[in-house]
Amino acid sequence: MQSSIRNVDAVVVGAGFAGLDAVRRLRDRGLTVQGFEAAGGVGGTWYWNRYPGARTDSKSYIYCYTFSAEIRDEWKWSELFPTQQEVLAYLNFVADRLDLRPLFNFNTTVVSADWDDEGTHWIVRTHDGDVVAAKYLITAVGILSAPHRPQIEGIDTFAGQIVHTGRWPAEGVDVAGKRVAVIGSGSSGVQLLPIVAQQAEHLTLLQRTPNYVSQFNSPKFDDSDRQRIRDEHDTIQEQVRANPYAQAYTLAGVSAKEVTEAERRAVYEAAWSAGGLAMAMATFADLGIDEESNNTAAEFVRAKIHSAVKDPEMAALLTPDYPYGVKRVPTSEGYYDTFNRDNINVVDLRRTPIQRFTANGIVVGGEETAFDIVILATGFDAVTGALTRLGIRGRGGKALEEVWADGPWNYLGYAVPGFPNLFSMVGPTMPAGNVPTTVEINGDWIDRIIATAQQRGATTIEATIEAADAWRSEVLELNAPLLLAKEGARVNSWFIGANIEGKPISPLFYLGHANDYTARSTEERDKGFPNFTFSDR
Ligand code: NA7
């Protein structure tokens, strides 16, 4: 069995934004790299989430790599908030441009990764029997990639079609003239609902917690826009560094309570028209911590919902009663207007939960409603789920999910004591916000720690327990004063793991300023990784 094991320097799991960045850097450093990707192609999240209406609410010109001016100039974004198809096309373009595709085995799922102390390498196994020994294991598995399918009684007996938004079939789903149920009103549900409602005979939204849905406003770009963006690249990146979530927005910088009502209203109106994340990212600095300030934003959006939705009872059903931003604020084109159609109804699952599925449909409050198609827009086991499902066993066969039984414990999000030579891209306790920004910081850092080990002749690199303990305390302290910590569990916020039954409630992100995280990461790198043990055994 041992003879059939291939040896490589690094295994990279995942071919999304993070995995593509990792393989390119390690290959260019001269390492032998084996990438594994469960999907049939590159793209990660953007490969799987093909549901109608899927798009990013990060601005296109920052939702991309920055490392190459040539690549930035060659790719032409068509609009401010690109569709899933355009982001996927971009990642395919990068993969081809840098010849990254040959580094991956596609349609290949990693089923286990065991640390071998004797060989000082990881033994990585795939679903099809491939076994690879790798000095380094880089997980680039994404934060929203492990779909959450609720275990509802009878779900497997449903005779119609059931699809999860995070595993949307490439051939599409024909909803025309059909009776469609949508379960879930997070980002995925609210993006697809207006489009499905236009085609379906009837749409029923089975809603548990309503969201504050931002409207969507994506100006198209022409060549002069693209030239301006190119000219302003450095200024835009400066703006991203100054924003707590690494987004291209400038906060008003003051408390919502420090301005007059008229001034506040003007700021909110401008942000509402801009759409997307502007309400959270381009308004006041204290919406995440101060209840009174938060309520000014919450009330503003509640009024917008009531003016958009004509039936007051329907409007009330769609209006959240918790602080603004405690759940991830989604963006949708025409969401609230859709509820003025006559082929849509909303079932309030907080009042009457789903009892069970039948062959024909779904039973709620003792009444069965028949459906042809059920769309599960029920989200993901976010941030940690894709990692704990990988079957990672560190020193002494210790399972990663065991070590994380109370929430993620690691250092700077990159490394876990007891799991040598394992590094995460966009791992738990890294900043929430614009993913490609974090990816590039991570890619450089991991590349440099491996280079440092090579220079020192070290075979293993391991974060210290003290560093991981201190980091966990810091992440918890940053989380404690937030409204998210007070209210997040009540409204099942995935930011703290509250959307998955049995998952520990614990912050999954570093919720300080993203740039403070970058500074910490850079300091660790520039000081020669003082919180790691490098060993030649
Ligand atoms: P989300 O935001 O986690 O939304 C999932 C939705 O599904 C949410 O409305 C949930 O209600 C609902 N849900 C989950 N389980 C159930 C069950 N068992 N019954 C009824 N309703 C349920 O996932 P998305 O895919 O929309 O978005 C994920 C991220 O992708 C998003 O934040 C962006 O960053 C991109 P709940 O709120 O828990 O009451």
Side-chain angles (χ1 to χ4, degrees):
M1 168 120 185
Q2 289 287 319
S3 60
S4 66
I5 295 182
R6 283 186 290 133
N7 283 280
V8 295
D9 292 320
V11 157
V12 174
V13 189
F17 265 107
L20 293 179
D21 193 63
V23 295
R24 115 185 136 74
R25 288 181 197 260
L26 298 178
R27 176 199 61 188
D28 293 352
R29 180 165 291 289
L31 269 61
T32 50
V33 182
Q34 174 63 65
F36 289 118
E37 168 56 62
V42 304
T45 262
W46 302 102
Y47 178 96
W48 294 109
N49 285 272
R50 295 166 190 244
Y51 63 82
R55 65 169 77 224
T56 173
D57 48 15
S58 282
K59 295 178 181 175
S60 52
Y61 52 79
I62 65 158
Y63 201 67
C64 52
Y65 300 108
T66 62
F67 64 84
S68 157
E70 272 175 31
I71 289 183
R72 284 202 316 265
D73 289 353
E74 281 171 37
W75 181 258
K76 296 187 183 348
W77 290 113
S78 70
E79 58 181 317
L80 188 57
F81 298 114
T83 60
Q84 171 267 330
Q85 293 94 323
E86 191 169 9
V87 181
L88 184 61
Y90 167 75
L91 289 168
N92 275 282
F93 155 76
V94 173
D96 288 334
R97 178 71 170 67
L98 299 174
D99 201 20
L100 303 179
R101 235 178 268 278
L103 297 171
F104 283 95
N105 285 1
F106 293 102
N107 298 306
T108 307
T109 303
V110 168
V111 293
S112 67
D114 293 271
W115 174 251
D116 173 2
D117 232 356
E118 280 294 299
T120 60
H121 52 212
W122 287 93
I123 301 291
V124 180
R125 292 188 162 79
T126 66
H127 80 285
D128 54 0
D130 197 6
V131 188
V132 178
K135 283 186 206 152
Y136 302 105
L137 174 60
I138 319 295
T139 58
V141 291
I143 58 172
L144 295 159
S145 48
H148 165 56
R149 293 171 195 274
Q151 297 305 307
I152 301 171
E153 189 190 325
I155 195 163
D156 296 331
T157 64
F158 180 60
Q161 187 179 7
I162 299 194
V163 281
H164 189 285
T165 48
R167 287 290 180 272
W168 200 260
E171 66 277 13
V173 178
D174 183 11
V175 296
K178 304 274 171 49
R179 299 159 302 176
V180 180
V182 175
I183 304 180
S185 51
S187 290
S188 308
V190 306
Q191 285 188 332
L192 67 77
L193 181 129
I195 298 170
V196 172
Q198 277 169 29
Q199 298 162 8
E201 179 197 298
H202 189 88
L203 189 155
T204 299
L205 171 65
L206 295 127
Q207 174 194 264
R208 209 160 52 182
T209 315
N211 265 307
Y212 295 97
V213 182
S214 282
Q215 56 185 7
F216 157 81
N217 183 4
S218 181
K220 300 277 184 270
F221 292 159
D222 61 18
D223 282 342
S224 69
D225 296 315
R226 284 187 281 266
Q227 187 56 48
R228 183 177 43 76
I229 290 162
R230 227 172 273 153
D231 295 344
E232 291 175 1
H233 177 76
D234 292 345
T235 318
I236 291 167
Q237 289 305 316
E238 194 50 49
Q239 188 187 31
V240 167
R241 277 190 289 277
N243 183 276
Y245 299 100
Q247 293 286 354
Y249 289 101
T250 303
L251 279 168
V254 294
S255 161
K257 294 188 292 194
E258 276 175 50
V259 297
T260 64
E261 199 179 329
E263 285 167 332
R264 204 162 47 225
R265 188 157 191 93
V267 168
Y268 286 148
E269 284 293 356
W272 184 255
S273 309
L277 300 171
M279 271 297 290
M281 304 270 168
T283 59
F284 299 103
D286 60 347
L287 298 186
I289 46 171
D290 187 288
E291 238 159 296
E292 217 182 303
S293 290
N294 186 292
N295 201 40
T296 62
E299 278 298 311
F300 175 87
V301 181
R302 287 175 192 139
K304 289 286 182 198
I305 298 171
H306 278 268
S307 72
V309 180
K310 295 200 176 95
D311 172 0
E313 269 180 43
M314 178 75 98
L317 268 182
L318 297 169
T319 302
D321 63 358
Y322 54 87
Y324 185 81
V326 162
K327 280 174 90 69
R328 195 333 187 146
V329 172
T331 301
S332 166
E333 193 170 13
Y335 182 67
Y336 291 118
D337 290 342
T338 301
F339 295 93
N340 297 324
R341 298 176 66 94
D342 56 15
N343 70 335
I344 187 164
N345 72 307
V346 179
V347 175
D348 181 1
L349 297 180
R350 288 188 299 184
R351 233 179 268 163
T352 43
I354 296 176
Q355 286 168 298
R356 62 180 181 282
F357 273 73
T358 62
N360 289 327
I362 299 176
V363 181
V364 176
E367 237 178 76
E368 181 190 74
T369 308
F371 295 108
D372 304 304
I373 298 173
V374 174
I375 297 175
L376 298 175
T378 46
F380 301 89
D381 184 350
V383 190
T384 50
L387 282 166
T388 54
R389 291 179 190 189
L390 261 190
I392 298 175
R393 307 279 176 271
R395 284 193 199 283
K398 190 99 169 169
L400 184 63
E401 54 273 30
E402 233 182 276
V403 176
W404 286 358
D406 297 328
W409 177 70
N410 58 26
Y411 179 53
L412 292 176
Y414 289 112
V416 186
F419 295 76
N421 297 8
L422 167 69
F423 299 107
S424 285
M425 302 274 292
V426 203
T429 77
M430 284 182 184
N434 188 45
V435 166
T437 304
T438 307
V439 160
E440 289 195 305
I441 292 159
N442 294 170
D444 164 68
W445 193 99
I446 292 169
D447 177 44
R448 293 283 290 277
I449 200 168
I450 289 174
T452 303
Q454 286 181 323
Q455 280 155 17
R456 296 184 191 173
T459 48
T460 61
I461 317 167
E462 191 169 347
T464 67
I465 290 174
E466 296 72 27
D469 283 344
W471 179 246
R472 170 124 175 111
S473 301
E474 196 175 329
V475 168
L476 291 174
E477 269 166 38
L478 283 166
N479 183 61
L482 303 179
L483 295 173
L484 170 67
K486 294 188 188 112
E487 301 273 5
R490 172 168 80 91
V491 294
N492 314 330
S493 179
W494 65 258
F495 273 42
I496 53 170
N499 64 326
I500 303 291
E501 216 178 304
K503 188 167 174 169
I505 306 283
S506 182
L508 297 175
F509 292 107
Y510 170 88
L511 289 167
H513 197 296
N515 210 37
D516 291 344
Y517 173 85
T518 307
R520 294 289 299 277
S521 182
T522 308
E523 187 190 4
E524 181 70 24
R525 181 195 73 188
D526 292 348
K527 287 188 170 164
F529 306 97
N531 289 293
F532 287 81
T533 306
F534 290 76
S535 162
D536 61 3
R537 175 49 251 147

